[in-house]
Amino acid sequence: MNRGVIIACDFATKTECFQFLEQFRGLKPFLKIGMELFYNEGPSILEEVKKTGSRIFLDLKLHDIPNTIKKTTKNIAELGVDMLTLHASGGSEMMLAAKEGLETANSSTLLIAVTILTSLSAATIRQELLIHSGLNSVVLHYSQNAKKCKMDGIVCSPFEIQKIKQNCGSDFIVVAPGIRVEDNVNDHARMSTPDFAKHAGSDFIVVGRPITTALDPVAAYNHISNEFGGVKT
Ligand code: C5P
């Protein structure tokens, strides 16, 4: 797995998504399909997007009891996506079950565990979720659990990457969302620039609105890709 920019295709419909992708004809960027599009259009959207030649990161952030997750990942294996997310907070048994489901289907889909959403601030995690260990140690601990459960990598904020790579190894994939090119934070409590994410050691950055709402999305993608470095597919 190389490194690069993943575009979050957070669109409500297939029509909107393909209007957007039309501009990227020939570039074949790595694409993230999330809940919004998947639940509206169903699995067929993946087949259609795959025809463009892009790799697909299916971001469904699975979180359920192990038995259900195992059956679910076995079904998802048939969709032939490159990466799939689940929540590390679902626990070790759930992560192992997810892996087992994929292995049963001989799938090469990479499993990526979400640690703590970048939309959550340290104060929210402490006061609302009653997690008192401190954001950094929770993210590190969840990453170590994910590594033990044979996950291929994790999603976290660029601020947490260095410790994770030191503890989980350089080949443990780190995907970082919450990327902004200017002072436009939207709903991320912990955001950073592509350059920061690169120097922090991120393998992939996930970028949505800075590309999808740009006046020239291809120029925005190229600009962010150049700043982050890596392969543009
Ligand atoms: O538009 P924006 O760049 O903020 O989009 C970020 C994308 O990254 C969204 O699709 C969101 O679902 C995803 N995300 C994630 N994990 C997080 C935070 C955001 O996968 N911790």
Coordinates of all heavy atoms in Angstrom, one line a residue, residues 63-73 90-101:
H63 N -19.8 -1.0 13.8 CA -19.7 -1.1 15.3 C -20.9 -1.9 15.7 O -22.1 -1.4 15.8 CB -19.8 0.3 15.9 CG -19.4 0.4 17.3 ND1 -19.0 1.6 18.0 CD2 -19.3 -0.6 18.3 CE1 -18.8 1.3 19.2 NE2 -19.0 0.0 19.5
D64 N -20.7 -3.2 16.1 CA -21.9 -4.0 16.5 C -21.3 -5.2 17.2 O -20.1 -5.3 17.5 CB -22.7 -4.4 15.3 CG -24.2 -4.7 15.6 OD1 -24.4 -5.2 16.7 OD2 -25.0 -4.3 14.8
I65 N -22.2 -6.2 17.6 CA -21.7 -7.3 18.3 C -20.8 -8.2 17.3 O -21.0 -8.2 16.1 CB -22.8 -8.2 18.9 CG1 -23.8 -8.7 17.9 CG2 -23.5 -7.4 20.0 CD1 -24.7 -9.7 18.4
P66 N -19.8 -8.9 17.9 CA -18.9 -9.7 17.0 C -19.6 -10.6 16.0 O -19.2 -10.6 14.8 CB -18.1 -10.5 18.0 CG -18.1 -9.7 19.3 CD -19.5 -9.0 19.3
N67 N -20.6 -11.3 16.4 CA -21.2 -12.2 15.5 C -21.8 -11.5 14.3 O -21.7 -11.9 13.1 CB -22.4 -13.0 16.2 CG -23.0 -14.0 15.4 OD1 -22.3 -14.9 14.8 ND2 -24.3 -14.0 15.3
T68 N -22.5 -10.4 14.5 CA -23.1 -9.6 13.4 C -22.0 -9.0 12.5 O -22.1 -9.0 11.3 CB -23.9 -8.4 14.0 OG1 -24.9 -9.0 14.8 CG2 -24.6 -7.6 12.9
I69 N -20.9 -8.5 13.1 CA -19.8 -7.9 12.4 C -19.1 -9.0 11.5 O -18.8 -8.7 10.3 CB -18.8 -7.3 13.3 CG1 -19.4 -6.0 14.0 CG2 -17.5 -6.9 12.6 CD1 -19.7 -4.9 13.1
K70 N -18.9 -10.2 12.0 CA -18.3 -11.2 11.2 C -19.1 -11.5 10.0 O -18.5 -11.6 8.9 CB -18.2 -12.5 12.1 CG -17.4 -13.6 11.4 CD -17.0 -14.7 12.4 CE -17.6 -16.0 12.0 NZ -17.4 -17.0 13.1
K71 N -20.4 -11.7 10.1 CA -21.3 -11.9 9.0 C -21.3 -10.8 8.0 O -21.4 -10.9 6.8 CB -22.7 -12.3 9.4 CG -22.8 -13.6 10.2 CD -24.2 -13.8 10.7 CE -24.3 -15.0 11.5 NZ -25.6 -15.1 12.2
T72 N -21.2 -9.6 8.6 CA -21.2 -8.4 7.7 C -20.0 -8.2 6.9 O -20.1 -8.0 5.7 CB -21.4 -7.1 8.6 OG1 -22.6 -7.3 9.4 CG2 -21.5 -5.8 7.8
T73 N -18.8 -8.4 7.5 CA -17.6 -8.3 6.7 C -17.5 -9.4 5.7 O -16.9 -9.2 4.6 CB -16.3 -8.2 7.6 OG1 -16.3 -9.4 8.5 CG2 -16.3 -7.0 8.5
G90 N -15.3 -0.7 19.4 CA -16.2 -1.9 19.5 C -15.5 -3.1 20.2 O -16.2 -4.1 20.5
G91 N -14.2 -2.9 20.5 CA -13.5 -3.9 21.3 C -12.8 -5.0 20.5 O -13.0 -5.1 19.3
S92 N -11.9 -5.7 21.2 CA -11.0 -6.6 20.5 C -11.8 -7.8 19.8 O -11.5 -8.2 18.7 CB -10.0 -7.3 21.5 OG -9.2 -6.3 22.0
E93 N -12.7 -8.3 20.5 CA -13.5 -9.4 20.0 C -14.2 -9.0 18.7 O -14.2 -9.8 17.7 CB -14.6 -9.8 21.0 CG -14.5 -11.3 21.4 CD -15.7 -11.7 22.2 OE1 -15.8 -11.3 23.4 OE2 -16.6 -12.4 21.6
M94 N -14.7 -7.8 18.7 CA -15.4 -7.3 17.4 C -14.4 -7.2 16.3 O -14.7 -7.6 15.2 CB -16.1 -6.0 17.7 CG -17.0 -5.6 16.5 SD -17.3 -3.8 16.5 CE -15.9 -3.1 15.8
M95 N -13.2 -6.6 16.6 CA -12.2 -6.4 15.5 C -11.7 -7.8 15.0 O -11.6 -8.0 13.8 CB -11.0 -5.6 16.0 CG -11.4 -4.1 16.2 SD -9.9 -3.1 16.6 CE -9.8 -3.2 18.3
L96 N -11.5 -8.8 15.9 CA -11.1 -10.1 15.4 C -12.2 -10.8 14.6 O -11.9 -11.4 13.6 CB -10.7 -11.0 16.7 CG -9.4 -10.6 17.4 CD1 -9.3 -11.3 18.7 CD2 -8.2 -11.0 16.5
A97 N -13.4 -10.5 15.0 CA -14.5 -11.1 14.2 C -14.6 -10.5 12.8 O -14.9 -11.2 11.8 CB -15.8 -10.9 15.0
A98 N -14.3 -9.2 12.7 CA -14.3 -8.5 11.4 C -13.3 -9.1 10.5 O -13.5 -9.4 9.3 CB -14.1 -7.0 11.6
K99 N -12.1 -9.4 11.1 CA -11.0 -10.0 10.3 C -11.4 -11.4 9.9 O -11.1 -11.8 8.7 CB -9.7 -10.0 11.2 CG -8.5 -10.4 10.6 CD -7.9 -9.4 9.7 CE -6.7 -9.8 8.9 NZ -6.3 -8.8 8.0
E100 N -12.0 -12.1 10.8 CA -12.4 -13.5 10.5 C -13.4 -13.5 9.3 O -13.3 -14.4 8.4 CB -13.0 -14.1 11.7 CG -12.7 -15.6 11.9 CD -13.5 -16.2 13.1 OE1 -13.4 -15.6 14.2 OE2 -14.1 -17.2 12.9
G101 N -14.3 -12.6 9.4 CA -15.3 -12.5 8.3 C -14.7 -12.3 6.9 O -15.0 -13.0 5.9

